[in-house]
Amino acid sequence: MCGIVGFAGNKTACGKPLEVCMQGLKRLEYRGYDSAGVALVAPGMETAAVRKKSGRLANLASDIERSPMPDATVGIGHTRWATNGEPSDVNAHPHTSQDGKIAIIHNGIIENAEKLRLDLQTEGYTFLSATDTEVAAKLLGKIANTIIKETGKPDLFEALRRMARMLSGAFTILAVDVRQPEIVVGARHDSPLVVGLGDGENFLGSDVAAFVAYTKEAMELDQDQAVCISGDNVTVTDFDGNPVTDSKRFTVDWDASASEKGGWDSFMDKEIHEEPAAVRNTLLGRFNEDDEIKLDELHIDPEVFKQIDKIIVVACGTASYAGMVAKYAIEHWVRIPVEVELAHEFRYRDPILTPRTLVVAISQSGETMDTLMALRHAREQGSRVLAICNTQGSTIPREADAVLYTHAGPEIAVASTKAFVAQIIAAYLLGLYFAQVKNTLYRDEIHQILDQLKAMPEKIQWVLDNDAETVSDAAKKLLNAKSFLFLGRHVGYPVALEGALKLKEIAYTFTEGFAAGELKHGPIALVEPGEPVVIIVPSSRGRNVLHNKVISAIEEVKARGAFTIAVAERGDPDAEKYADIVFWRPECATLLSPLVDVVPLQLFALDVATLKGYDVDKPRNLAKSVTVE
């Protein structure tokens, strides 16, 4: 959700704080937002210089161009995704203290904001917005002034720590004060914040994209920690003021150009075409000289893996469908049960967890709040947690017992594409590692599957090269369809769900995905003449019964007038005979087919949304990283 940037640099006021904030916010646009704003501070200012506008970042940039902001020594910037108060200029961040000397930005939800607001109102404080953030701004101003009375000098860092101890809920807060124009302070609780380490300048961001154009050196900030940055210093403490000296540093393994379109019409189009590389990179470095699977990030003893007797995957949206695909493969290879649970439902059903249960938390951003809370519940119950994640330094891998990074590179478009295939690859590597340590597959069987996985980038590229025109024609033909049905069996079922989700997310079309066997149990009532039905057809090789069942489903909906699109293996005569349009895939093992089957469905959603004139990268009402429950 909200994007956050902070910068502290030269002690001489200049234009760089504004530049860093605006560039950082531009790189964070993918997180989803409805307004944007910045606050600047420099020596001699009486109040913080604040500018904020509802709508896109371009609105803010235009306003600043018409009426330039002053040079500064530090700055903070914010893109807001509304949780308290409608999108408007007034509700946009930053918010200021009663005297205007302090400005803050905030990501998350402060759950005791209304009580704090009432307390402050009884003391004479006034509020302009409907946000919980303004409550924090007024409270921070009050605490800061109290400290000045106590000590005779300002201490914004201590004021922020005191306030953090008073807040409940989830929050990342950054603040600046005209009385200390050389620092930016921040605090985090259940919401992301990372530090960027520069030369004579330092940065804060909700993720590394905020500052990767300026430095690749970064430092993790853990739960319930506060940070103070100046141009030449970074100090980290807990909320009680105790110094933290063991913060983990890391180097960002991609550069700013990776988060730019590079000539593509949209980030989503670019990221779909990066899927072969995402699969290839996720496989890199996972094998030793004997070609055995070597997962260095796990940090869990193989003997522990041998004792695992159940896996529970917790995830949301696209990540949960990747988990559903993995369930079929892991159960087949390892012969232990795998459950896939929506993370937001997990802890509310009192799940059965033991020390021999492995919970696998899948999240592209590593900050998905529902998944993070499921992870914490699992650890409280004594289970081990392994994270599959695409973002270094994020919260979920830090709090898990082990992590498998997907190395897909930054995914900017809100609708996930390349992360989906990379998550499947990572989950498959985990399954094969289990098979290796538990001896449920022979060594040559594991090598055969690994060879098939290593061949998948070329097969995905084949789909991109050969299906694009057919997909584009199908999108034009079905542009005005009011609804779609997606059907699949076995591993095709979660692919159907994911294909349906993509069309909902970016083309705003009512779409439902079903297991094909459910057709007669209700969904077939929705089929009327002209209704588009997309069917994932499994290969007939080795699974002829399953193939025939799905072909029967095509015949059933065709008999009722449906317009059918099949995703099928090259040369499948039944798909060619019964479907109106076929998106072909190259020959591959059934368990690996989701890696290619999903690609034309992603392209189809992209083409439909583009033809409708929608912003495919930033669909309405959606955020890239959902950091509140």
Side-chain angles (χ1 to χ4, degrees):
M1 290 186 177
C2 308
I4 282 178
V5 187
F7 171 78
N10 199 309
K11 293 180 181 179
T12 302
C14 62
K16 188 163 187 180
L18 178 60
E19 172 204 311
V20 171
C21 287
M22 294 299 288
Q23 288 298 317
L25 293 180
K26 186 170 182 60
R27 296 184 191 282
L28 294 174
E29 281 191 291
Y30 71 91
R31 295 174 74 89
Y33 68 103
D34 50 54
S35 58
V38 294
L40 303 174
V41 163
M45 285 185 179
E46 288 296 317
T47 59
V50 173
R51 194 73 58 85
K52 52 187 182 176
K53 299 293 289 184
S54 62
R56 301 320 246 172
L57 185 62
N59 295 350
L60 176 64
S62 296
D63 188 69
I64 294 172
E65 187 175 344
R66 285 192 299 270
S67 177
M69 295 187 73
D71 287 345
T73 48
V74 299
I76 54 176
H78 187 270
T79 49
R80 175 178 183 258
W81 198 82
T83 52
N84 291 90
E86 67 182 8
S88 67
D89 289 357
V90 172
N91 288 332
H93 299 203
H95 289 279
T96 58
S97 58
Q98 191 85 338
D99 57 14
K101 294 185 181 300
I102 291 174
I104 80 165
I105 54 178
H106 162 233
N107 181 18
I109 296 176
I110 299 170
E111 293 177 350
N112 60 337
E114 282 310 303
K115 180 182 183 305
L116 294 170
R117 184 193 298 267
L118 290 172
D119 292 343
L120 289 165
Q121 284 174 330
T122 62
E123 297 177 34
Y125 286 83
T126 57
F127 295 86
L128 299 175
S129 76
T131 67
D132 51 353
T133 307
E134 189 183 8
V135 175
K138 296 296 194 290
L139 179 59
L140 184 60
K142 174 188 171 182
I143 296 169
N145 289 336
T146 299
I147 290 174
I148 291 173
K149 290 177 183 177
E150 291 173 353
T151 66
K153 60 182 181 180
D155 190 343
L156 184 62
F157 198 21
E158 172 59 19
L160 183 64
R161 287 193 297 255
R162 288 189 190 182
M163 185 179 72
R165 298 197 296 268
M166 298 172 64
L167 303 181
S168 62
F171 57 85
T172 289
I173 293 173
L174 300 192
V176 291
D177 186 339
V178 294
R179 293 161 295 200
Q180 293 180 275
E182 72 284 357
I183 64 169
V184 179
V185 299
R188 70 167 297 250
H189 172 77
D190 284 347
S191 186
L193 184 62
V194 63
V195 183
L197 306 170
D199 182 11
E201 56 188 23
N202 289 298
F203 308 80
L204 295 171
S206 42
D207 70 48
V208 295
F211 51 73
V212 71
Y214 301 95
T215 181
K216 292 187 179 183
E217 299 307 309
M219 186 172 74
E220 297 175 355
L221 201 67
D222 282 334
Q223 175 79 326
D224 294 338
Q225 290 184 351
V227 60
C228 176
I229 64 168
S230 63
D232 52 14
N233 191 48
V234 175
T235 303
V236 180
T237 72
D238 63 21
F239 285 174
D240 292 318
N242 300 307
V244 174
T245 58
D246 60 350
S247 298
K248 182 180 177 183
R249 299 189 177 203
F250 64 95
T251 301
V252 181
D253 59 3
W254 50 274
D255 59 28
S257 64
S259 60
E260 296 172 353
K261 290 181 186 176
W264 294 94
D265 291 334
S266 66
F267 281 113
M268 185 174 180
D269 198 5
K270 174 177 180 270
E271 288 156 11
I272 292 171
H273 285 81
E274 287 173 342
E275 288 179 17
V279 169
R280 192 177 295 112
N281 291 341
T282 302
L283 288 168
L284 282 176
R286 310 293 193 183
F287 314 102
N288 63 18
E289 58 277 5
D290 297 322
D291 216 22
E292 292 179 327
I293 300 171
K294 171 179 66 75
L295 303 178
D296 287 339
E297 309 111 309
L298 288 190
H299 304 303
I300 296 178
D301 193 280
E303 290 302 315
V304 174
F305 275 95
K306 287 182 181 179
Q307 301 304 313
I308 297 296
D309 60 12
K310 182 173 73 171
I311 296 172
I312 302 177
V313 177
V314 292
C316 301
T318 290
S320 72
Y321 301 148
M324 289 176 68
V325 171
K327 169 185 169 72
Y328 290 93
I330 295 173
E331 287 188 338
H332 180 66
W333 295 333
V334 189
R335 308 312 297 164
I336 60 175
V338 179
E339 300 174 10
V340 182
E341 183 91 21
L342 291 170
H344 43 79
E345 296 295 322
F346 178 67
R347 64 193 176 115
Y348 298 110
R349 69 167 178 88
D350 193 20
I352 300 170
L353 296 162
T354 74
R356 298 179 70 178
T357 303
L358 179 69
V359 174
V360 178
I362 306 179
S363 168
Q364 186 281 139
S365 68
E367 302 293 351
T368 309
M369 183 56 68
D370 292 307
T371 306
L372 177 59
M373 299 309 289
L375 175 159
R376 289 175 178 168
H377 180 73
R379 296 199 71 194
E380 287 168 1
Q381 302 301 311
S383 294
R384 293 183 185 269
V385 178
L386 182 145
I388 292 177
C389 180
N390 193 45
T391 309
Q392 285 181 299
S394 56
T395 304
I396 287 173
R398 291 212 306 269
E399 295 198 15
D401 297 290
V403 60
L404 276 177
Y405 284 112
T406 49
H407 303 305
E411 189 175 68
I412 307 302
V414 168
S416 184
T417 52
K418 64 177 179 177
F420 177 73
V421 295
Q423 287 163 351
I424 292 173
I425 291 291
Y428 279 10
L429 285 171
L430 176 64
L432 291 170
Y433 182 73
F434 262 110
Q436 181 176 286
V437 299
K438 284 176 169 282
N439 294 314
T440 55
L441 290 177
Y442 291 112
R443 192 167 182 263
D444 59 342
E445 290 178 306
I446 294 174
H447 285 176
Q448 182 183 13
I449 298 166
L450 289 174
D451 287 342
Q452 293 171 345
L453 283 174
K454 291 173 183 177
M456 293 312 295
E458 288 73 25
K459 294 181 186 295
I460 295 172
Q461 190 62 53
W462 186 94
V463 174
L464 291 169
D465 293 341
N466 290 277
D467 279 355
E469 186 176 346
T470 305
V471 170
S472 178
D473 291 343
K476 293 170 186 172
K477 190 175 189 69
L478 297 171
L479 180 61
N480 297 315
K482 302 301 182 187
S483 62
F484 285 77
L485 298 180
F486 282 66
L487 305 175
R489 276 182 179 262
H490 194 251
V491 289
Y493 170 41
V495 172
L497 294 175
E498 174 62 7
L501 178 62
K502 286 294 152 285
L503 209 52
K504 291 175 194 172
E505 285 180 309
I506 64 170
Y508 314 148
T509 303
F510 185 82
T511 312
E512 286 298 319
F514 296 99
E518 284 291 293
L519 194 59
K520 299 185 187 68
H521 300 280
I524 200 167
L526 296 170
V527 178
E528 57 186 22
E531 175 72 22
V533 181
V534 181
I535 306 100
I536 316 302
V537 182
S539 171
S540 61
R541 293 174 297 105
R543 289 185 177 271
N544 199 44
V545 172
L546 193 63
H547 174 269
N548 292 342
K549 293 282 188 185
V550 175
I551 294 297
S552 294
I554 299 178
E555 293 183 80
E556 284 185 89
V557 295
K558 283 281 285 184
R560 289 156 179 83
F563 184 90
T564 55
I565 298 175
V567 181
E569 191 167 280
R570 253 187 315 180
D572 186 326
D574 295 319
E576 197 159 25
K577 178 180 178 181
Y578 292 112
D580 294 295
I581 296 175
V582 183
F583 300 155
W584 296 112
R585 68 164 174 270
E587 182 177 309
C588 62
T590 296
L591 286 172
L592 307 192
S593 62
L595 295 164
V596 285
D597 286 345
V598 76
V599 179
L601 304 185
Q602 295 168 341
L603 291 171
F604 180 70
L606 172 69
D607 287 346
V608 172
T610 301
L611 289 168
K612 288 184 175 183
Y614 297 146
D615 186 339
V616 298
D617 290 333
K618 297 186 274 291
R620 68 189 182 201
N621 304 331
L622 296 177
K624 182 65 177 174
S625 179
V626 183
T627 55
V628 294
E629 285 190 279

